[in-house]
Amino acid sequence: MNQRIVNMLNTAAVNVYKALGSVLLALILVGLVSYLGVQAFFFVSHSWLTPTVVSPTDPEILQLNAQLAQQAAARDKLLADRRDLEARMEQAERLLGSEKEFQERFRLALESEREARAKALRRLAPLRREYQEAAQEIAESNRAYAGMARTRTEALYNARMLEREERLTANHQLAQLARSNLSLAEGSAELQTKLEAVKRELDGFDASLGGRIEGLTTEVLLLEREYTRSVLEVARAESERHHLKESLESLDEAVARYDALLASIRSSPWMEAIERGLTMAFVPYENLENARPGTLLYQCALTLLWCREVGMVGQTLRGEVTAKHPVRQALLRGVMVELKLKDEHWAREELLHLGRPPLLL
């Protein structure tokens, strides 16, 4: 009896084992067929997209924000450098204007001084002639008078008709006449010296205005040194202005590149999704033809079976992105599109189908 029970238990165990083996084999076959079916579907199908839930803490958003902050800081530094260059440019412009005005006024002042010397020379020349003629006449008259007075005084004194004191007074007057002649000679010499000095100054101004070396005076040379310093300052300021202008142009080009880079970062689909609060999905380029705005979206319970409509496709966002294939894990190039879902929780699905259910179920 016991042996019979043992045999029955063994038979039951074998049957259970066979049943389990059949079930496991069936499950393996179903899994293999499903896997091959899914692989075959994605190999030929171009009517799917992968929803993406975007949050401020996503790695892509954090990386884009870091790049945005870094590039904005670099751009701000360039703008600060540009403001410094503009301030230096304004200073160089002011220096150029001041030095050029000084040079123009220097030439006018030099011409004015030259004209003043010419007028002084024209006045001194006839004055010297008149002074010399008058001095000569006075000197001759003084000499004639002195000779006559001396002879008469001596004759009267010798004839005892003139006292000694009167004789000394007469001699003193004659000495005064001699001193007057000497003063006239000194005045003539001073006029001659002044005339020669004015003529030398006039020649110096003419030489400076004419760009000659001959005839230059020390005074004019000192004035020309100030003018030369001004010319050197103008040359230095013009050179600095030229370099500053080139630097400003280079900075403007760099700022323009940063502006373009910042614009591209801000126009990234990820940034646009965060700023506008969009629900997005990745569409490979080969599926883009089937993801036009208004295309219906379907979610399937088993990837390909038991599907329902969950929304539609919105506008295509600018910019290229890369994402992994939902099955093969290969990197794909494509774009992001806006999703208009009936319920936001459908955005958490790994896959949505475009246009219709894949197997019409």
Side-chain angles (χ1 to χ4, degrees):
M1 182 68 178
N2 292 333
Q3 184 63 38
R4 184 178 178 183
I5 293 173
V6 170
N7 290 335
M8 290 178 62
L9 291 174
N10 289 335
T11 301
V14 170
N15 291 333
V16 170
Y17 178 78
K18 289 181 179 179
L20 290 175
S22 298
V23 171
L24 290 175
L25 181 60
L27 291 175
I28 291 172
L29 289 175
V30 169
L32 180 61
V33 169
S34 299
Y35 174 78
L36 293 176
V38 170
Q39 293 292 334
F41 170 80
F42 281 105
F43 185 76
V44 299
S45 175
H46 298 291
S47 299
W48 55 269
L49 51 76
T50 56
T52 301
V53 178
V54 181
S55 69
T57 58
D58 286 342
E60 293 86 356
I61 301 299
L62 293 176
Q63 183 179 3
L64 286 174
N65 282 328
Q67 291 180 359
L68 188 64
Q70 181 181 2
Q71 303 304 328
R75 179 183 179 276
D76 291 340
K77 184 179 183 303
L78 288 180
L79 290 177
D81 294 340
R82 192 183 191 283
R83 287 192 291 271
D84 292 339
L85 290 180
E86 285 180 341
R88 291 172 58 188
M89 176 72 83
E90 291 176 358
Q91 183 178 0
E93 292 287 352
R94 287 194 297 270
L95 179 61
L96 275 174
S98 175
E99 293 298 334
K100 287 183 176 180
E101 182 181 0
F102 166 77
Q103 292 177 17
E104 183 178 354
R105 298 178 69 177
F106 179 88
R107 301 285 297 183
L108 292 175
L110 210 62
E111 292 175 356
S112 177
E113 287 291 331
R114 190 264 176 203
E115 184 62 27
R117 297 302 189 278
K119 288 181 180 179
L121 186 62
R122 288 194 294 270
R123 288 196 302 267
L124 284 174
L127 178 62
R128 185 196 61 172
R129 288 193 299 270
E130 293 176 3
Y131 187 90
Q132 287 178 343
E133 292 175 357
Q136 185 177 1
E137 290 178 0
I138 293 172
E140 290 177 354
S141 298
N142 286 342
R143 282 194 296 270
Y145 176 78
M148 182 188 68
R150 187 175 292 108
T151 302
R152 183 171 179 274
T153 299
E154 288 299 326
L156 292 173
Y157 181 75
N158 291 332
R160 299 186 182 273
M161 296 178 66
L162 190 66
E163 297 292 333
R164 178 177 176 83
E165 183 178 352
E166 293 176 344
R167 181 191 178 196
L168 291 175
T169 302
N171 289 335
H172 178 72
Q173 291 176 352
L174 293 176
Q176 292 293 328
L177 289 176
R179 184 177 179 182
S180 174
N181 291 337
L182 181 59
S183 297
L184 290 173
E186 289 176 353
S188 178
E190 289 177 0
L191 277 176
Q192 180 65 29
T193 301
K194 189 172 183 179
L195 186 66
E196 291 176 354
V198 171
K199 187 176 184 305
R200 187 167 61 253
E201 291 175 356
L202 181 61
D203 292 339
F205 287 125
D206 288 337
S208 178
L209 291 171
R212 302 191 310 271
I213 298 177
E214 298 81 3
L216 287 175
T217 62
T218 305
E219 179 185 1
V220 174
L221 281 175
L222 292 175
L223 292 175
E224 282 195 345
R225 183 172 66 177
E226 295 300 322
Y227 184 83
T228 303
R229 287 177 181 173
S230 176
V231 171
L232 294 176
E233 284 293 328
V234 168
R236 185 183 65 81
E238 287 180 344
S239 177
E240 183 178 6
R241 182 179 64 175
H242 176 70
H243 291 306
L244 288 174
K245 185 177 180 181
E246 291 182 347
S247 299
L248 283 173
E249 291 175 354
S250 299
L251 279 179
D252 288 339
E253 293 175 359
V255 169
R257 289 195 294 269
Y258 273 107
D259 287 339
L261 180 59
L262 290 173
S264 66
I265 293 176
R266 292 191 179 99
S267 64
S268 168
W270 307 103
M271 299 297 292
E272 188 173 357
I274 288 294
E275 292 175 359
R276 295 171 53 189
L278 302 179
T279 302
M280 300 192 307
F282 170 73
V283 181
Y285 281 128
E286 54 266 26
N287 298 2
L288 189 58
E289 183 68 22
N290 299 320
R292 295 175 178 174
T295 302
L296 296 178
L297 295 171
Y298 292 86
Q299 184 272 338
C300 299
L302 298 177
T303 306
L304 301 179
L305 303 174
W306 293 293
C307 304
R308 71 184 77 180
E309 181 185 338
V310 295
M312 66 177 60
V313 178
Q315 296 297 321
T316 301
L317 304 181
R318 294 175 298 174
E320 179 182 292
V321 296
T322 58
K324 289 185 178 180
H325 193 283
V327 175
R328 296 195 293 270
Q329 300 300 311
L331 283 177
L332 301 176
R333 296 170 57 198
V335 296
M336 305 299 290
V337 297
E338 179 185 356
L339 298 184
K340 298 179 180 179
L341 301 176
K342 296 179 179 179
D343 194 329
E344 292 299 326
H345 81 274
W346 298 121
R348 302 186 183 93
E349 295 292 326
E350 293 186 358
L351 188 72
L352 294 178
H353 298 278
L354 293 164
R356 61 183 179 82
L359 300 180
L360 299 180
L361 297 176

